[in-house]
Amino acid sequence: MKPLPSTSSKTPVKFRMPTSENLVPIRLDIEVGGQRFKDAFTWNISDPDSEVSVFAKRTQKDLKLPLAFATQIAQSIQTQQTEFRSYKGQEMLTGEKIVPIKLDLRVNRTLIKDQFLWDLNNFDSDPEEFSKTFCNDLGIEDPEVGPAVAFAIREQLYEIAIQSVATARESRNAKKGRRGEYSSISSRSTGAALDLMKLFSNRYSGVRKRKEWDVFEPMVDMLSNEEVAALESMVEKWRDLEEA
Amino acid sequence: METTTRQDPKAESTRPDEPEFDLYTIPSYSSWFRWNDIHETERAAMREFFDGSSVTRSPKIYKEYRDFMINRYREDPSTRLTFTEVRKSLVGDVSLLNKVFQFLNQWGLINFGADSARIESENEYKDEVRVEDGPPNGIRVVADPNSSKPFPASHAGAPLGADVRRSKLSPLASYSDVFGELGKRKGILCGSCGGNCESGRYQHDKDSYVLCVKCFKDGKYGNKSVDDFKLHGSSVSDGKQRDAWTEAETLLLLESVSRHGDDWDIVAQTVKSKTKLECISKLIELPFGEFISSYNLGKDPASGLSGNGDGGKDVFPSLPEQQDMIKSENVMSQQANGNEQRGDDADKVPPLKKQCVSYSSGSGISIMRQIARISSMVGDDITATAAKAAFAALCDEASCPSDSFNNEEDFANELWPAMDQSVSERWLI
């Protein structure tokens, strides 16, 4: 295989989260008999000490949820873990990937909107560290915001990682099957490099055009209690509409 | 506003900023910095810009990031520049940008004169980390808060007084390296005798002076008046401080857990002086703690016991026979069972993780009584060893009883011939 220049390297890498800790983002949204339980956290599946059933039972007990939740929680976690594991051993294309990460979340009374770039090739990256700086710099006091931000980042990284597995598979098949497709692959890779150039589009500068600064600036808003209540009831009604 | 001529940044670090001049202060150790160049220090710290590994990282781009951040900071040198402020203006991976930011921060090229009176100052402490040898100045490390003996550092040569810095602890000495021994002695220490105040203490109203129950009774008030002291059970009112667990509390905990299993509200009520959280943590710390609570969830169907309400008597005759049971982490029963079967020397602990506790740890039977019953089934010395081992584990948390235990070598042999109620109660002393 012709060695491609490093700028468009597509050396495949075994699937993993492009962060320093290979954690699975787990999202729970369980409804049993009218009661809804939502949660989001990260799980370390290579930790032998963490047992899903124990955690599920503990959660159910601590939050005084009806018994049925324990099994559902455990199931949901296990499903997501299995899905994560199914990617293990597969290859993903990272190549030159600096991806935009968008934050658009509400944690209790804090609203956050933000956008920034993340390097998928940086396996030392740390969403929790970023989130900590984020909260410190913006003076966010609610301790639940930090983990939520880190989780949101991880979730997006996870999805992108999954996509890149699919891309890797595609390109592998393409290479094996149809030689003629080779040109399209190489163009895709150079296309990626071009995208990056566009990113640094301000005369290939590291400094962004001023008018774009607002887009990439974090916006943090605090809602009042009434606004939160109104928002939540609106979400509820929307959900009901969708399910009806 | 005067022209923004950037003076030679090699200004001495001791000279304060004079507003008339556009003089920017940076520390002398950063005197290598040049606007029109990239120094070796920078290259070494941020290789990813200089190894050509990516089109997004080049010396030019590094310089842009750096110059932008420094200029941005210098627009208002008295205000601390945050990473979040700059990253919106720069294109690139945020982790990488943060790396540059932290680099400049640590070298004082930004935020050197900035106000550091922010609450989240842990960031700044992090930025100005210098590795220190030993504890910080002004702190004297002693073995015991009431003695003036300096803590014997790992190289046993710490001189008295504030010079403990030269205690030759390695720069990366962890908390447990220095304070490992002290860590064992949790809990509040009496101001008079220096012992653990377990079962209660007398707290002085006006300051933080504490007396254990014994010293209070003995009248050792120091130079304080007796009226100022208020009795505190080992209650949780002290915020984050956790009192040590007395044996009485531990026994209450074990009994109540074996009776009520996982219902921590009730357990915490029974052990009145500890919160739910403390009960849970304590139980986990005990060697067989998890087993006791999980046993009650009925996880062991093969044992043939329902563990509720039966007098232990019905169960015990089957003790020797139940070889092939699943899981037991109970040291006592392991040894009792195994030794009985194999007739081993009582001191060898057989790795019988598969042997089961086949006696009922269910309702109505305290741990003490169960031990009494076991000992009536198996030999005294076996039970003694078993009890010793279990007790040693418990003693880890409370140092007082271990003293009496260790001092009396023949304790086990003399007092165990017949396990009756009075003997089992002696354990509590």
Side-chain angles (χ1 to χ4, degrees):
Chain A
M1 188 159 65
K2 244 197 302 183
L4 299 161
S6 62
T7 54
S8 54
S9 79
K10 301 175 336 183
T11 35
V13 166
K14 289 292 176 206
F15 175 83
R16 53 158 296 165
M17 288 286 288
T19 55
S20 57
E21 290 198 56
N22 201 15
L23 305 174
V24 190
I26 306 257
R27 205 177 255 286
L28 296 178
D29 189 352
I30 299 172
E31 184 154 3
V32 172
Q35 242 182 317
R36 197 156 178 227
F37 170 62
K38 286 184 79 162
D39 199 0
F41 46 85
T42 49
W43 194 281
N44 183 355
I45 47 169
S46 37
D47 180 6
D49 289 334
S50 49
E51 259 202 62
V52 179
S53 49
V54 174
F55 173 84
K57 194 113 198 9
R58 177 54 46 203
T59 309
Q60 174 253 321
K61 278 208 151 183
D62 287 349
L63 299 175
K64 298 210 170 14
L65 298 168
L67 271 172
F69 273 93
T71 33
Q72 295 243 17
I73 292 173
Q75 259 175 25
S76 178
I77 297 177
Q78 270 160 352
T79 312
Q80 296 181 61
Q81 279 185 345
T82 315
E83 192 188 328
F84 185 82
R85 282 202 192 93
S86 71
Y87 291 106
K88 216 174 185 185
Q90 307 204 19
E91 290 172 348
M92 61 181 194
L93 268 183
T94 39
E96 280 288 14
K97 264 199 146 183
I98 298 200
V99 295
I101 303 274
K102 296 201 170 93
L103 294 180
D104 190 357
L105 50 128
R106 177 180 72 82
V107 180
N108 298 332
R109 294 174 54 195
T110 315
L111 270 179
I112 296 179
K113 265 186 89 93
D114 195 4
Q115 194 184 46
F116 45 85
L117 300 168
W118 198 279
D119 183 0
L120 279 190
N121 266 329
N122 180 8
F123 286 171
D124 283 332
S125 64
D126 194 346
E128 279 74 27
E129 170 92 43
F130 175 84
S131 161
K132 193 160 147 224
T133 313
F134 184 89
C135 292
N136 279 341
D137 288 349
L138 295 169
I140 295 176
E141 285 166 0
D142 187 349
E144 289 186 25
V145 174
V149 168
F151 181 84
I153 297 173
R154 278 191 187 275
E155 215 179 16
Q156 293 179 51
L157 291 176
Y158 183 37
E159 279 171 29
I160 296 172
I162 294 177
Q163 275 173 21
S164 70
V165 169
T167 327
R169 209 181 296 140
E170 267 177 40
S171 71
R172 247 201 336 270
N173 292 338
K175 265 186 235 164
K176 281 187 196 153
R178 293 154 272 170
R179 283 274 159 177
E181 298 293 318
Y182 185 69
S183 52
S184 72
I185 295 165
S186 65
S187 68
R188 199 188 305 158
S189 65
T190 47
L194 280 176
D195 283 337
L196 282 169
M197 288 291 97
K198 255 191 263 175
L199 265 181
F200 288 71
S201 62
N202 189 11
R203 291 171 281 113
Y204 287 2
S205 155
V207 182
R208 198 169 269 140
K209 292 192 195 134
R210 244 174 217 268
K211 61 186 180 191
E212 288 182 8
W213 286 9
D214 288 337
V215 178
F216 290 89
E217 182 171 13
M219 276 192 299
V220 179
D221 248 331
M222 297 288 294
L223 300 173
S224 70
N225 285 330
E226 299 83 36
E227 288 170 321
V228 172
L231 205 62
E232 284 185 348
S233 69
M234 187 197 75
V235 169
E236 274 292 311
K237 294 206 183 83
W238 186 269
R239 235 169 38 90
D240 294 338
L241 275 176
E242 293 207 315
E243 285 169 10
Chain B
M1 198 128 147
E2 49 269 347
T3 53
T4 50
T5 42
R6 302 235 158 66
Q7 302 289 338
D8 187 350
K10 260 203 288 195
E12 281 162 30
S13 53
T14 48
R15 268 249 293 244
D17 253 344
E18 300 178 32
E20 303 95 273
F21 304 104
D22 266 352
L23 199 65
Y24 298 102
T25 311
I26 63 170
S28 52
Y29 47 77
S30 299
S31 54
W32 46 261
F33 174 71
R34 296 284 178 281
W35 278 109
N36 51 8
D37 194 15
I38 299 174
H39 193 257
E40 192 51 48
T41 316
E42 302 170 270
R43 285 179 193 270
M46 279 163 298
R47 293 202 180 282
E48 44 267 89
F49 286 102
F50 304 99
D51 57 9
S53 53
S54 161
V55 72
T56 59
R57 303 190 287 265
S58 69
K60 170 175 176 284
I61 288 177
Y62 163 70
K63 192 168 182 300
E64 282 182 324
Y65 290 162
R66 176 195 80 181
D67 295 352
F68 183 89
M69 288 187 193
I70 297 180
N71 284 329
R72 189 55 193 263
Y73 164 65
R74 290 182 177 187
E75 285 170 15
D76 186 2
S78 57
T79 311
R80 195 174 157 267
L81 181 69
T82 64
F83 170 64
T84 306
E85 265 176 68
V86 286
R87 57 114 159 140
K88 69 177 186 231
S89 318
L90 297 171
V91 183
D93 171 41
V94 284
S95 306
L96 188 65
L97 287 170
N98 197 21
K99 202 168 172 194
V100 178
F101 182 84
Q102 295 299 336
F103 173 80
L104 297 174
N105 214 341
Q106 281 163 24
W107 283 96
L109 293 165
I110 57 178
N111 290 335
F112 187 59
D115 103 78
S116 45
R118 283 168 64 106
I119 311 165
E120 312 87 18
S121 50
E122 48 171 320
N123 264 344
E124 308 191 51
Y125 293 147
K126 212 171 31 149
D127 296 333
E128 288 158 4
V129 152
R130 303 277 172 253
V131 176
E132 284 181 355
D133 219 37
N137 237 334
I139 302 236
R140 202 172 65 171
V141 183
V142 294
D144 175 291
N146 293 307
S147 83
S148 51
K149 234 181 353 140
F151 189 76
S154 46
H155 293 258
L160 261 171
D163 248 349
V164 190
R165 250 192 173 200
R166 298 199 219 115
S167 68
K168 296 192 194 74
L169 288 171
S170 79
L172 293 178
S174 69
Y175 179 85
S176 49
D177 288 342
V178 178
F179 298 105
E181 291 308 304
L182 294 186
K184 304 275 183 190
R185 304 181 72 193
K186 292 185 218 166
I188 302 189
L189 297 175
C190 169
S192 164
C193 67
N196 246 326
C197 299
E198 291 172 319
S199 40
R201 64 190 188 280
Y202 284 84
Q203 175 94 39
H204 195 267
D205 277 339
K206 310 223 176 49
D207 56 42
S208 60
Y209 195 68
V210 164
L211 282 184
C212 69
V213 176
K214 192 165 181 298
C215 289
F216 186 80
K217 289 203 179 109
D218 292 341
K220 300 202 172 96
Y221 305 127
N223 44 7
K224 317 210 186 266
S225 115
V226 57
D227 299 318
D228 286 339
F229 283 95
K230 212 164 39 168
L231 172 63
H232 279 250
S234 356
S235 69
V236 293
S237 49
D238 295 14
K240 300 205 179 94
Q241 223 184 358
R242 288 179 60 204
D243 296 348
W245 281 74
T246 67
E247 296 88 77
E249 290 173 327
T250 315
L251 282 168
L252 269 177
L253 171 69
L254 291 173
E255 280 185 32
S256 129
V257 170
S258 61
R259 201 171 301 155
H260 302 114
D262 260 356
D263 199 335
W264 298 106
D265 291 313
I266 300 187
V267 171
Q269 265 173 41
T270 317
V271 185
K272 298 183 212 48
S273 39
K274 293 280 184 293
T275 63
K276 228 171 24 171
L277 211 59
E278 289 174 331
C279 290
I280 299 173
S281 331
K282 178 67 182 176
L283 195 70
I284 295 176
E285 287 165 23
L286 293 175
F288 44 83
E290 286 183 21
F291 166 77
I292 286 183
S293 76
S294 64
Y295 186 82
N296 269 62
L297 290 181
K299 272 179 158 193
D300 190 7
S303 71
L305 304 164
S306 53
N308 47 3
D310 279 81
K313 278 226 170 88
D314 304 334
V315 177
F316 279 108
S318 58
L319 222 173
E321 281 130 48
Q322 310 230 351
Q323 280 268 25
D324 48 337
M325 295 303 179
I326 26 179
K327 67 163 175 137
S328 158
E329 286 173 51
N330 187 317
V331 166
M332 291 183 281
S333 59
Q334 273 180 35
Q335 293 184 322
N337 271 333
N339 290 331
E340 171 90 341
Q341 264 61 339
R342 304 213 223 131
D344 273 347
D345 184 67
D347 285 319
K348 291 211 200 102
V349 181
L352 288 173
K353 295 273 177 171
K354 299 261 161 81
Q355 292 268 341
C356 174
V357 164
S358 48
Y359 62 88
S360 162
S361 64
S363 51
I365 303 180
S366 76
I367 300 284
M368 284 299 122
R369 278 218 189 86
Q370 292 174 49
I371 296 163
R373 292 210 162 102
I374 297 175
S375 70
S376 64
M377 303 301 301
V378 302
D380 322 319
D381 45 347
I382 294 168
T383 320
T385 319
K388 210 172 185 173
F391 203 76
L394 279 173
C395 283
D396 275 349
E397 277 90 16
S399 46
C400 286
S402 68
D403 290 334
S404 59
F405 206 82
N406 289 334
N407 287 339
E408 297 176 294
E409 304 277 69
D410 295 318
F411 180 80
N413 295 336
E414 281 172 357
L415 298 173
W416 285 83
M419 265 290 273
D420 54 43
Q421 195 64 352
S422 60
V423 173
S424 58
E425 271 159 16
R426 257 196 245 204
W427 272 30
L428 296 174
I429 298 171

